[in-house]
Amino acid sequence: MGKTIAQKIIAAHLVSGDMTPGSEVALRIDQTLTQDATGTMAYLEFETMGIPQVKTELSVAYVDHNTLQCGFENADDHRYLQTVAAKHGVRFSRPGNGICHQIHLERFGKPGKTLIGSDSHTPTGGGLGMLAFGAGGMDVAVAMGGGAYYITMPKFFKVNLTGKLNPYVTAKDVSLEILRILSVKGGVGAIIEWGGPGVATLSVPERATITNMGAELGATTSIFPSDEVTRKFLAAQGREQDYTPLSSDEDAEYDRIIDIDLSALKPMIACPHSPDNVVRVDSLKDTKVDQVCIGSCTNSSLLDLLKVAAILKGKTIAPGVSLSISPGSRQVLTMLANCGALADILASGARLLECACGPCIGMGFSPNSQGVSLRTFNRNFLGRSGTKDGQVYLVSPETAAASALSGYITDPTTLNPIGEIKLPESFLIDDSSVLMPLPPEEAVNAQVLRGPNIKEFPQSKPFTDTLTAKLVLKVEDNITTDHIMPAGAKILPYRSNIPYLSKFCFEVCDPTFPERAKAAGDGIIVGGSNYGQGSSREHAALVPMYLGIRCVIAKSFARIHVANLINAGILPLTFADVADYDALQQDHDLTITDIRAGIAQGSLTVVNNKTGKAFTALCNLTQRQQDILMAGGLLNYTKEGGQ
Ligand code: MIC
Ligand code: SF4
């Protein structure tokens, strides 16, 4: 039987395991990336491993999330990241150089290589034919130390693209269309391969927009073939030598095939508060807009911003609209400036923000009360913008620009044509903002600078055989990591300070949670389906662990979050019968017995001490995961000599 693209890369990187769906495989990781909001924790974890130099082919530490410096916290963290990277063989991308995924695509990604990153949008690299996964910081630390990355062998979906996008219909609309079809749970347990004759019509940045938003489908990752378009992109970035062709075999088999005719697509929009709440843009055409934000790792490439500039050129944005532009990288910003497109954008009345995540993670530019904000980003979860009652919609750069001009949600296909905008034959190359690490002989004596914001790593407890704990919180379906551990300008600077962060845990759902969890001693959370979707932040597991949470029982979990729970030593269980969810209430006391034997068999009995009733909870864990849990988390397990 022929192989899919991902199966070929997995086979070439297989350390152990067998490639049948559902079984665990260990993969050799060629490249890693971290960003600052998850990176501080990842390097603190790496340091505990006592390995002098990273063992990957390439590791890069980016600073792109915490770039507002309203006090010493972020600046101290940047200094820590710069010095720890220099000491251990990691390249350091300075603040202002751009968003990790955009720069990695431009300067470092290589077809056929494996990449893990402590950020859920690491699959952006799939646009170049990389097998790229979002992971928790601890998994990235282990990979930097030369350890394998473990995934459950997924299913394989293929999206077969035919036709060609019409003017003003974009890769973002393809992403929104697939979210409409599959929902935020539809990709769980699957790698999505994009293929078919339509692929050749999409540039690498467009492909990267699509693989980036595969994260919102819950997919393990997404990948495109590496072809002539890939070769040309790499050549234009001055690195044709990094090109390798890659495609699936003719007779490769897929668990599901979805057809999308690019020619038939219309501009799409995701409505508040979920990326799969998708309708056609023209169906919302009279909605007044307060704010428009163009940028983020989904849509801040040169191609995106050249199109925006062409739409805005010679025009002025509506008086009621505030428009921000955050270019994805210094390369994008400099090239926009050099060709005059930046002047067209600014002359329209736009505000230029730093090359960073910015408003996407609530780092400034929050909308006004009940404000309608159109964003070219990938997530519109409740409260993420920093304004709890903000109404955030996700759109393409073209829809964003058209709406900024009219002041209302506007279908860009109603505008006059701007003509075809192509990528340049060569990009401007200047890697001076990526600092090289110290040579190993100098690194030995180099000092790592730590500020007072960096607090000790919380200790998790190993399991005994019985757990009695209070059901401290019961939540609904699709709880995101933004609910569990919010981000934003006020909280994000404390990502290396778990005690401080813990005050905000579940703030959007129930601000009394932290106090109640602490008072309970040992606690349990009950969740609906797709619990923990969204970000890769391990803080969404470490902070509940710090507050005493020992177990989460949910209808189902998101992939990265369940791995983070195990790494933090929190027992993840699913309901054998989802009807048992209904019978549980906050404040019930639950007892789980025979934990070691139960997790080995994959099924445990949970007794509700309030009602006296028992129910079955399941956990499908590999031997390694069971050992990690019993040890009280990955760090304890690694210290005890586990691999
Ligand atoms: C996000 O988009 O939610 C983030 C912020 O980039 C996160 C990482 C984080 O929480 O630091 C992600 O996607 O993993
Ligand atoms: Fe940054 Fe937003 Fe991308 Fe996350 S989704 S990496 S916050 S730009």
Side-chain angles (χ1 to χ4, degrees), residues 65 99 101 119 121 296-297 357 360-361 378 384:
H65 284 62
I99 305 174
H101 308 304
D119 191 281
H121 290 103
S296 92
C297 58
C357 300
C360 178
I361 195 57
N378 45 38
R384 181 176 165 98

PDB file of all heavy atoms in Angstrom, residues 65 99 101 119 121 296-297 357 360-361 378 384, ligand 2:
ATOM      1  N   HIS A  65       5.417  37.244  21.680  1.00  0.00           N
ATOM      2  CA  HIS A  65       4.147  37.393  22.393  1.00  0.00           C
ATOM      3  C   HIS A  65       4.190  38.536  23.407  1.00  0.00           C
ATOM      4  O   HIS A  65       3.366  39.429  23.381  1.00  0.00           O
ATOM      5  CB  HIS A  65       3.796  36.098  23.135  1.00  0.00           C
ATOM      6  CG  HIS A  65       3.274  34.997  22.272  1.00  0.00           C
ATOM      7  ND1 HIS A  65       4.008  34.426  21.272  1.00  0.00           N
ATOM      8  CD2 HIS A  65       2.084  34.346  22.272  1.00  0.00           C
ATOM      9  CE1 HIS A  65       3.288  33.475  20.693  1.00  0.00           C
ATOM     10  NE2 HIS A  65       2.113  33.409  21.285  1.00  0.00           N
ATOM     11  N   ILE A  99       6.861  37.278  14.164  1.00  0.00           N
ATOM     12  CA  ILE A  99       6.123  36.161  14.779  1.00  0.00           C
ATOM     13  C   ILE A  99       6.826  34.848  14.424  1.00  0.00           C
ATOM     14  O   ILE A  99       7.182  34.612  13.265  1.00  0.00           O
ATOM     15  CB  ILE A  99       4.667  36.139  14.272  1.00  0.00           C
ATOM     16  CG1 ILE A  99       3.994  37.502  14.514  1.00  0.00           C
ATOM     17  CG2 ILE A  99       3.878  35.018  14.936  1.00  0.00           C
ATOM     18  CD1 ILE A  99       2.607  37.633  13.913  1.00  0.00           C
ATOM     19  N   HIS A 101       6.129  31.764  13.765  1.00  0.00           N
ATOM     20  CA  HIS A 101       5.757  30.891  12.635  1.00  0.00           C
ATOM     21  C   HIS A 101       6.082  31.532  11.288  1.00  0.00           C
ATOM     22  O   HIS A 101       6.469  30.853  10.342  1.00  0.00           O
ATOM     23  CB  HIS A 101       4.270  30.525  12.732  1.00  0.00           C
ATOM     24  CG  HIS A 101       3.910  29.985  14.078  1.00  0.00           C
ATOM     25  ND1 HIS A 101       4.547  28.895  14.619  1.00  0.00           N
ATOM     26  CD2 HIS A 101       3.024  30.400  15.011  1.00  0.00           C
ATOM     27  CE1 HIS A 101       4.053  28.660  15.830  1.00  0.00           C
ATOM     28  NE2 HIS A 101       3.134  29.556  16.091  1.00  0.00           N
ATOM     29  N   ASP A 119       3.987  26.020  20.743  1.00  0.00           N
ATOM     30  CA  ASP A 119       2.914  26.895  20.305  1.00  0.00           C
ATOM     31  C   ASP A 119       2.028  26.092  19.372  1.00  0.00           C
ATOM     32  O   ASP A 119       2.527  25.395  18.477  1.00  0.00           O
ATOM     33  CB  ASP A 119       3.480  28.124  19.572  1.00  0.00           C
ATOM     34  CG  ASP A 119       2.393  29.149  19.363  1.00  0.00           C
ATOM     35  OD1 ASP A 119       1.583  28.974  18.429  1.00  0.00           O
ATOM     36  OD2 ASP A 119       2.311  30.106  20.158  1.00  0.00           O
ATOM     37  N   HIS A 121       0.288  26.746  16.894  1.00  0.00           N
ATOM     38  CA  HIS A 121       0.271  27.008  15.447  1.00  0.00           C
ATOM     39  C   HIS A 121       1.563  26.605  14.727  1.00  0.00           C
ATOM     40  O   HIS A 121       1.788  26.983  13.574  1.00  0.00           O
ATOM     41  CB  HIS A 121      -0.103  28.474  15.179  1.00  0.00           C
ATOM     42  CG  HIS A 121      -1.543  28.707  15.512  1.00  0.00           C
ATOM     43  ND1 HIS A 121      -1.956  29.329  16.661  1.00  0.00           N
ATOM     44  CD2 HIS A 121      -2.668  28.307  14.872  1.00  0.00           C
ATOM     45  CE1 HIS A 121      -3.272  29.322  16.712  1.00  0.00           C
ATOM     46  NE2 HIS A 121      -3.734  28.705  15.636  1.00  0.00           N
ATOM     47  N   SER A 296      -1.149  38.667  12.639  1.00  0.00           N
ATOM     48  CA  SER A 296      -1.103  37.349  13.284  1.00  0.00           C
ATOM     49  C   SER A 296      -0.404  36.326  12.411  1.00  0.00           C
ATOM     50  O   SER A 296      -0.221  36.537  11.208  1.00  0.00           O
ATOM     51  CB  SER A 296      -2.472  36.809  13.681  1.00  0.00           C
ATOM     52  OG  SER A 296      -3.016  36.008  12.652  1.00  0.00           O
ATOM     53  N   CYS A 297      -0.055  35.182  13.022  1.00  0.00           N
ATOM     54  CA  CYS A 297       0.675  34.160  12.278  1.00  0.00           C
ATOM     55  C   CYS A 297      -0.151  33.559  11.144  1.00  0.00           C
ATOM     56  O   CYS A 297       0.380  32.844  10.307  1.00  0.00           O
ATOM     57  CB  CYS A 297       1.180  33.074  13.227  1.00  0.00           C
ATOM     58  SG  CYS A 297      -0.115  32.266  14.171  1.00  0.00           S
ATOM     59  N   CYS A 357       2.801  39.221  17.855  1.00  0.00           N
ATOM     60  CA  CYS A 357       1.437  38.683  17.970  1.00  0.00           C
ATOM     61  C   CYS A 357       0.438  39.796  18.277  1.00  0.00           C
ATOM     62  O   CYS A 357      -0.681  39.808  17.771  1.00  0.00           O
ATOM     63  CB  CYS A 357       1.365  37.657  19.090  1.00  0.00           C
ATOM     64  SG  CYS A 357       2.471  36.262  18.847  1.00  0.00           S
ATOM     65  N   CYS A 360      -3.665  39.748  18.753  1.00  0.00           N
ATOM     66  CA  CYS A 360      -4.149  38.360  18.653  1.00  0.00           C
ATOM     67  C   CYS A 360      -4.189  37.698  20.026  1.00  0.00           C
ATOM     68  O   CYS A 360      -5.050  36.886  20.309  1.00  0.00           O
ATOM     69  CB  CYS A 360      -3.254  37.571  17.703  1.00  0.00           C
ATOM     70  SG  CYS A 360      -3.735  35.859  17.550  1.00  0.00           S
ATOM     71  N   ILE A 361      -3.240  38.076  20.889  1.00  0.00           N
ATOM     72  CA  ILE A 361      -3.208  37.462  22.215  1.00  0.00           C
ATOM     73  C   ILE A 361      -3.554  38.500  23.298  1.00  0.00           C
ATOM     74  O   ILE A 361      -3.199  38.351  24.468  1.00  0.00           O
ATOM     75  CB  ILE A 361      -1.855  36.715  22.423  1.00  0.00           C
ATOM     76  CG1 ILE A 361      -1.914  35.777  23.619  1.00  0.00           C
ATOM     77  CG2 ILE A 361      -0.658  37.648  22.461  1.00  0.00           C
ATOM     78  CD1 ILE A 361      -3.001  34.760  23.556  1.00  0.00           C
ATOM     79  N   ASN A 378      -6.705  33.763  13.948  1.00  0.00           N
ATOM     80  CA  ASN A 378      -7.224  32.391  13.869  1.00  0.00           C
ATOM     81  C   ASN A 378      -8.158  32.018  15.014  1.00  0.00           C
ATOM     82  O   ASN A 378      -8.791  30.978  14.984  1.00  0.00           O
ATOM     83  CB  ASN A 378      -6.056  31.396  13.798  1.00  0.00           C
ATOM     84  CG  ASN A 378      -4.977  31.731  14.815  1.00  0.00           C
ATOM     85  OD1 ASN A 378      -5.280  32.136  15.934  1.00  0.00           O
ATOM     86  ND2 ASN A 378      -3.716  31.574  14.425  1.00  0.00           N
ATOM     87  N   ARG A 384     -10.638  36.627  24.696  1.00  0.00           N
ATOM     88  CA  ARG A 384      -9.234  36.568  24.261  1.00  0.00           C
ATOM     89  C   ARG A 384      -8.701  37.941  23.824  1.00  0.00           C
ATOM     90  O   ARG A 384      -7.523  38.238  23.981  1.00  0.00           O
ATOM     91  CB  ARG A 384      -9.115  35.545  23.125  1.00  0.00           C
ATOM     92  CG  ARG A 384      -7.708  35.359  22.575  1.00  0.00           C
ATOM     93  CD  ARG A 384      -7.720  34.247  21.522  1.00  0.00           C
ATOM     94  NE  ARG A 384      -6.533  34.247  20.715  1.00  0.00           N
ATOM     95  CZ  ARG A 384      -5.468  33.461  20.903  1.00  0.00           C
ATOM     96  NH1 ARG A 384      -5.459  32.588  21.880  1.00  0.00           N
ATOM     97  NH2 ARG A 384      -4.430  33.529  20.111  1.00  0.00           N
TER      98      ARG A 384
HETATM   99 FE1  SF4 B   2       0.871  34.665  18.165  1.00  0.00          FE
HETATM  100 FE2  SF4 B   2      -1.697  34.762  17.692  1.00  0.00          FE
HETATM  101 FE3  SF4 B   2      -0.184  33.169  16.272  1.00  0.00          FE
HETATM  102 FE4  SF4 B   2      -0.680  32.580  18.825  1.00  0.00          FE
HETATM  103  S1  SF4 B   2      -2.162  32.645  17.168  1.00  0.00           S
HETATM  104  S2  SF4 B   2       1.325  32.504  17.764  1.00  0.00           S
HETATM  105  S3  SF4 B   2      -0.765  34.639  19.705  1.00  0.00           S
HETATM  106  S4  SF4 B   2      -0.097  35.392  16.312  1.00  0.00           S
END
